[in-house]
Amino acid sequence: MHGIYRVMSVEVVKPFTLRVTFDDDTEQLVFLGDILEGSVYGPLRDDKFFRQVAVDPERHTLVWPNGADFDPETLHDWPKYAEGMRQMALKWAAAAKKVA
């Protein structure tokens, strides 16, 4: 079942790690360092850019100025999705190396 969650707040707690608070009064620590690859998420490896994270007031998810975002359910249930996201990032990195 796909949960419908809304992100209420976000705080950068250490490099590439966010504390995300949801509308069901839960919070999740989300380490994104392992998945910052590809054209959308790769720019977030720059710490200053990563720290520009914000909560989109209409979609209630995390967004960055370059259009990077995450589904609120993925963030809410991060332990369930983290490994799959890491595997996708490995594929993005491998594809980028083939192009280069």
Side-chain angles (χ1 to χ4, degrees):
M1 180 176 181
H2 183 80
I4 299 175
Y5 302 101
R6 296 166 52 134
V7 173
M8 303 308 290
S9 66
V10 63
E11 174 189 6
V12 178
V13 293
K14 55 186 172 180
F16 311 120
T17 305
L18 304 171
R19 176 177 291 117
V20 185
T21 305
F22 299 90
D23 61 339
D24 65 352
D25 294 324
T26 62
E27 64 179 35
Q28 188 69 256
L29 280 179
V30 179
F31 175 69
L32 298 176
D34 293 342
I35 67 160
L36 302 181
E37 297 289 346
S39 61
V40 175
Y41 297 119
L44 277 61
R45 286 183 292 208
D46 178 296
D47 185 60
K48 286 184 181 181
F49 193 75
F50 184 83
R51 290 178 177 277
Q52 293 181 40
V53 64
V55 177
D56 183 285
E58 292 179 17
R59 296 182 295 143
H60 296 279
T61 193
L62 303 184
V63 294
W64 282 265
N66 70 337
D69 66 353
F70 287 91
D71 176 61
E73 187 214 359
T74 300
L75 297 166
H76 185 275
D77 299 329
W78 186 250
K80 181 168 88 172
Y81 292 103
E83 183 57 32
M85 294 293 291
R86 278 191 284 278
Q87 294 303 315
M88 287 176 52
L90 290 172
K91 290 178 185 177
W92 298 330
K97 287 181 183 178
K98 286 182 183 179
V99 172

